[in-house]
Amino acid sequence: AKSQDVLLCIQTGKTLDEEKRLRFSGEEFYLKSPAEMMRLFAEIPEAIRNTLAINEKCNLTIPLKRMYLPDFPVPEGETANGFLEKLCREGIARLYGEKIPTSMHERFKYELSIIERMGYAPYFLIVADFIRYARERGIAVGPGRGSAAGSIVAYLLNITNIDPIRYNLLFERFLNPARVSMPDIDIDFDDK
């Protein structure tokens, strides 16, 4: 019990001496065996039978070497890739106006092609959406840090506030076709 209390203090950033802290009472923080459960529910045998019936109805296989992203609801008639491009073009107009530097336009097309080819359009749309939500409600959001600051698409979507063209930041540090893991967008929010 003492070791469980120590682990809980470590997880919650508290000390054992603090009176007002989260505590768990009891000694049974483990999965009980079928025999233990049958003893505990001896007076309610249907509880055990129902548990087994639910178990028998469940048939789930999750392939572990596949990435799962939630769908982002796009307007009717749009695809995630098309909607991402549309939002980026709106970002270009907002940030650059009529005078779009050629280097920026080439970089935008390059990044967008990689993002679309790797299937990450929904990821960018989701991140842009929750950052927009926070900003609209006055929740402080950082300007962007880490390798995501090297993405013009992240900049155009207002995920980051750092122009990667101006500062010569590399997109490939953030997302590279040879990379097998998801790109990591570091985001800081006001914790209150």
Side-chain angles (χ1 to χ4, degrees):
K2 182 77 169 174
S3 63
Q4 291 170 345
D5 208 27
V6 169
L7 289 172
L8 184 60
C9 286
I10 291 169
Q11 288 177 328
T12 57
K14 303 291 182 186
T15 65
L16 290 169
D17 299 329
E18 291 182 61
E19 288 295 320
K20 294 184 178 183
R21 66 176 172 81
L22 180 64
R23 297 172 191 268
F24 288 147
S25 59
E27 298 286 323
E28 300 176 350
F29 298 106
Y30 65 94
L31 291 175
K32 292 180 172 58
S33 70
E36 286 175 289
M37 294 303 287
M38 284 187 235
R39 274 195 308 275
L40 285 168
F41 289 93
E43 295 176 19
I44 317 169
E46 64 271 15
I48 300 294
R49 283 194 303 274
N50 288 340
T51 301
L52 293 172
I54 291 169
N55 177 59
E56 289 167 3
K57 291 177 182 177
C58 294
N59 182 13
L60 176 66
T61 303
I62 300 175
L64 298 177
K65 296 189 180 199
R66 183 174 178 263
M67 174 186 55
Y68 293 93
L69 284 174
D71 289 327
F72 183 84
V74 296
E76 193 172 329
E78 294 268 9
T79 64
N81 290 340
F83 191 58
L84 177 65
E85 183 171 352
K86 178 182 175 185
L87 293 179
C88 285
R89 291 195 182 281
E90 290 172 5
I92 290 170
R94 183 182 76 250
L95 295 166
Y96 295 97
E98 300 277 328
K99 299 178 183 177
I100 303 166
T102 304
S103 60
M104 198 287 306
H105 188 69
E106 289 172 2
R107 170 80 170 263
F108 158 67
K109 293 300 282 179
Y110 166 70
E111 285 189 24
L112 203 59
S113 70
I114 290 175
I115 291 166
E116 290 176 356
R117 187 171 70 233
M118 295 183 79
Y120 291 145
Y123 175 60
F124 279 81
L125 292 169
I126 290 165
V127 173
D129 189 52
F130 67 68
I131 289 175
R132 176 200 49 76
Y133 177 92
R135 287 191 174 129
E136 286 176 357
R137 282 153 183 80
I139 299 168
V141 180
R145 62 180 172 88
S147 62
S151 170
I152 193 73
V153 169
Y155 179 59
L156 296 174
L157 293 173
N158 209 20
I159 291 172
T160 63
N161 295 342
I162 300 157
D163 185 342
I165 304 292
R166 179 177 177 194
Y167 296 104
N168 296 316
L169 301 175
L170 300 174
F171 174 67
E172 289 76 14
R173 285 198 61 224
F174 170 59
L175 182 56
N176 187 311
R179 181 179 177 174
V180 292
S181 60
M182 288 234 5
D184 182 22
I185 300 176
D186 297 311
I187 303 165
D188 299 301
F189 287 99
D190 183 338
D191 60 1
K192 293 181 180 151

